[in-house]
Each structure stands twice: as structure tokens, then as C-alpha cells.
Amino acid sequence: MTIEININDLIRTRMTEIAEAAWRNHRVLPTADGEGRVLQIGSAATVERWVCGADHGSGVCGEALLTHRQAAELLGMFNVDEPVLDPQLPVTDVDLLDEGVGGFTCGSLYHLSDVRREFEKAQG
């Protein structure tokens, strides 16, 4: 008996499971392909992949969330353990598809305002 597994279906299923858990546990939503906003800090830009749907005390947040890699790239840092040293809003840990390792790894999501604040601190 041969069992065929389509890797694309497996990845799509896992990404759906991650999205459902992120919403259920943290009120975080992934953006649909091609629907994310372009986020710019200084001369660097990236595309929104996650958005915060949590209420931090003043209504639904709606702020873009950046992966560790996106935050580091916008801040001009690569391979940095913590691109945002003192986040004001909760950092969310979710599984992310990491092309560098060829699979899913735990990653952090940072609010755009915290990344922007870190950029402004570095600018002096």
C-alpha cells in the first residue's frame, strides 16, 4: 500500500492550523496573499503578513505585526536575537514557515509601532 502526500497540501493544512490557533489564542490574523499593506520605516519596506485583532484596552488594535526577520530587516539588522528590546505591546509567538530551515519554526510577531519606536531610538 502506497500513501501519497502532496507537500503543498501538507504546508497549506499546517498554515491553516497555525492561523486558527493564532486567532484563538492571541487574536492575530494572517493577511491574505496580496492583501497586506506596504509597511515602510526609513528607506526600508516590507509587506504586512499578520495583523493584530486583539483589544489592548482601547478597542481592536488593527496594527500590522512584523515577523522577527521583517523587524530586523526594517531596522537594518540581520541575525539579531531581539530586534525590539523593549516592546510596549505584547509580542506574539506563533509557528512560521521558515524558508531558511525548510520548515516551520517558532517565531515572534512585533507590533509595527514597537518596531518604529526602536527605529526612532536608534536614530537618536
Side-chain angles (χ1 to χ4, degrees):
M1 178 176 182
T2 303
I3 298 175
E4 286 188 35
I5 298 175
N6 181 316
I7 191 72
N8 290 331
D9 290 340
L10 184 64
I11 291 170
R12 192 173 12 264
T13 299
R14 182 66 186 123
M15 290 179 82
T16 299
E17 292 170 349
I18 290 167
E20 290 171 354
W23 176 252
R24 183 178 55 252
N25 299 332
H26 307 289
R27 292 299 185 242
V28 168
L29 289 170
T31 57
D33 285 341
E35 292 185 13
R37 299 169 278 194
V38 173
L39 310 172
Q40 184 174 356
I41 296 179
S43 61
T46 190
V47 175
E48 174 186 43
R49 299 200 189 292
W50 294 88
V51 64
C52 183
D55 183 345
H56 303 298
S58 58
V60 175
C61 178
E63 191 172 331
L65 296 169
L66 300 165
T67 65
H68 181 279
R69 179 184 208 113
Q70 287 175 307
E73 288 174 355
L74 286 177
L75 296 171
M77 303 180 294
F78 296 94
N79 300 321
V80 176
D81 290 335
E82 295 296 327
V84 180
L85 299 176
D86 186 26
Q88 303 300 300
L89 294 169
V91 175
T92 304
D93 292 324
V94 296
D95 284 340
L96 300 170
L97 181 58
D98 187 336
E99 293 149 9
V101 298
F104 291 92
T105 60
C106 185
S108 299
L109 300 176
Y110 301 92
H111 283 78
L112 177 60
S113 59
D114 283 329
V115 176
R116 185 170 283 121
R117 190 176 299 107
E118 197 71 24
F119 179 80
E120 290 167 358
K121 282 191 325 191
Q123 297 300 304

